[in-house]
């Protein structure tokens, strides 16, 4: 694959989203241009209301763009597809199925039952849940449930893994463990990951690249390559400096919103 082909892996061109009601129109964001290369781990970071989750839903094909185009390997994205796997903040798992059956459910009709079970077992081993494959979802902790959701998404062998604040509901200790687990999974699978988060530290710890979004209107205000060697400890001076840089960018956006609210 030459350099030009790599740059066209996942491409957003002049993408905008406007919600229209009978009373008014609300522009979430506009003029979003973004090229993501294959195997990259890219985080979208920004304050509430900037449209980062909406943007991820559009890449997933769950929302339509009001303007512009989104394409994966040159094919326009208009609907959901198996080439994109989605992991939400709250795991969307079936409580009446056990762990392995949750993973094999989307594989029905695509392979034999034994093949699907073997496939599921491979990814359960990857997320370190092999001994829980017969358990039901309610028997698992929040972190374990999210690992099942990740295993199910990976079992579909998507070209892009889309993650919408997947660790946002977890406690700090579990979140730290999940960061390490996700890094191991990403290094083993080399999937392209597009990851939405509110956490600056989370974005720095995980990402090759951080796309910072501003709000009112939603837009990209910075696109930062993270060249700090992994693993990235919070006490690392380079991590501290980058965190300060991003915080400064976001503080400007948050202060702008507060001023608008006070002047209403």
């Amino acid at each position: 694959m030459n350099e030009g082909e790599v740059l066209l892996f996942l491409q957003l061109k002049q993408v905008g989203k406007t919600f229209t009601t009978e009373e008014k129109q609300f522009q979430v964001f506009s003029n979003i241009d973004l090229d993501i290369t294959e195997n990259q781990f890219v985080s979208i970071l920004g304050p509430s209301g900037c449209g980062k989750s909406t943007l991820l839903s559009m890449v997933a094909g769950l929302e339509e763009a009001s303007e512009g185009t989104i394409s994966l390997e040159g094919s326009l994205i208009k609907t959901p597809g198996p080439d994109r796997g989605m992991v939400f903040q709250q795991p969307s798992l079936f409580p009446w199925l056990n762990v392995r059956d949750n993973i094999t459910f989307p594989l029905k009709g695509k392979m034999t039952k034994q093949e699907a079970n073997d496939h599921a077992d491979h990814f359960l081993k990857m997320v370190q849940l092999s001994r829980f494959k017969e358990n039901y979802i309610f028997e698992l902790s929040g972190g374990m449930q999210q690992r099942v959701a990740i295993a199910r998404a990976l079992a579909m062998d998507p070209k892009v893994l889309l993650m919408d604040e997947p660790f946002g509901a977890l406690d700090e200790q579990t979140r730290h463990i999940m960061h390490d687990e996700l890094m191991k999974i990403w290094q083993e699978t080399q999937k392209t990951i597009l990851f939405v988060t509110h956490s600056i530290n989370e974005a720095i710890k995980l990402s090759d690249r951080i796309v910072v979004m501003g709000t009112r209107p939603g837009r990209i205000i910075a696109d930062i390559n993270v060249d700090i060697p992994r693993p990235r400890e919070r006490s690392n001076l380079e991590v501290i400096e980058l965190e300060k840089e991003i915080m400064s960018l976001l503080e400007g956006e948050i202060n702008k919103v507060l001023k608008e609210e006070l002047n209403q």
Side-chain angles (χ1 to χ4, degrees):
M1 183 178 287
N2 62 43
E3 185 177 352
E5 289 173 327
V6 170
L7 290 174
L8 292 175
F9 182 69
L10 178 60
Q11 188 172 55
L12 289 75
K13 283 186 178 180
Q14 292 292 291
V15 173
K17 182 64 177 179
T18 301
F19 290 113
T20 304
T21 67
E22 292 181 0
E23 299 177 355
K24 62 179 180 179
Q25 286 189 333
F26 173 69
Q27 186 180 58
V28 183
F29 51 73
S30 62
N31 302 319
I32 300 293
D33 285 312
L34 191 60
D35 285 344
I36 295 172
T37 61
E38 193 170 10
N39 310 134
Q40 254 191 340
F41 194 125
V42 179
S43 284
I44 301 177
L45 176 70
S48 296
C50 69
K52 54 190 183 297
S53 290
T54 301
L55 188 65
L56 197 74
S57 291
M58 290 162 64
V59 176
L62 300 172
E63 292 266 5
E64 289 186 10
S66 303
E67 56 192 38
T69 60
I70 304 174
S71 59
L72 179 60
E73 292 189 321
S75 297
L76 289 178
I77 292 173
K78 295 184 178 180
T79 59
D83 53 358
R84 284 150 287 136
M86 188 84 172
V87 179
F88 299 94
Q89 182 172 349
Q90 297 294 338
S92 53
L93 302 169
F94 302 124
W96 59 89
L97 297 178
N98 66 29
V99 167
R100 185 163 67 179
D101 288 345
N102 262 279
I103 296 171
T104 61
F105 185 84
L107 303 175
K108 288 181 178 179
K110 299 179 181 179
M111 54 183 72
T112 67
K113 184 176 181 179
Q114 186 58 54
E115 287 172 337
N117 284 341
D118 291 344
H119 199 61
D121 289 347
H122 169 75
F123 288 102
L124 282 171
K125 185 176 181 181
M126 186 180 293
V127 298
Q128 300 181 39
L129 287 176
S130 294
R131 66 190 182 97
F132 295 95
K133 63 185 176 184
E134 302 296 337
N135 288 68
Y136 286 89
I137 299 305
F138 67 86
E139 298 177 302
L140 306 181
S141 68
M144 292 165 75
Q145 289 181 25
Q146 200 59 289
R147 278 189 270 169
V148 176
I150 293 170
R152 184 173 66 180
L154 289 171
M156 295 294 294
D157 194 25
K159 294 176 181 176
V160 181
L161 186 60
L162 306 171
M163 309 187 80
D164 190 4
E165 297 191 68
F167 311 137
L170 304 178
D171 63 81
E172 189 65 27
Q173 184 177 359
T174 304
R175 194 168 178 155
H176 181 77
I177 293 168
M178 290 301 295
H179 290 163
D180 293 340
E181 292 298 321
L182 183 58
M183 274 291 93
K184 291 175 186 175
I185 291 167
W186 174 69
Q187 288 166 350
E188 183 172 342
T189 65
Q190 285 296 289
K191 293 291 180 188
T192 304
I193 296 180
L194 192 56
F195 186 99
V196 163
T197 180
H198 277 102
S199 168
I200 297 173
N201 184 256
E202 182 171 69
I204 293 172
K205 184 173 182 178
L206 297 174
S207 314
D208 294 321
R209 181 177 165 201
I210 301 172
V211 176
V212 185
M213 291 186 68
T215 189
R216 297 191 181 183
R219 68 212 184 281
I220 295 174
I221 59 174
D223 191 340
I224 302 167
N225 287 316
V226 185
D227 298 323
I228 304 168
R230 292 183 174 94
R232 298 167 185 159
E233 299 299 331
R234 198 161 195 171
S235 57
N236 183 311
L237 289 177
E238 290 180 280
V239 170
I240 293 170
E241 287 302 313
L242 182 54
E243 194 165 358
K244 286 179 181 177
E245 177 187 339
I246 295 173
M247 178 60 78
S248 178
L249 288 167
L250 292 177
E251 279 180 348
E253 292 299 307
I254 294 166
N255 287 336
K256 181 180 71 174
V257 172
L258 289 174
K259 286 179 182 178
E260 288 178 3
E261 294 292 337
L262 290 171
N263 292 331
Q264 284 185 358

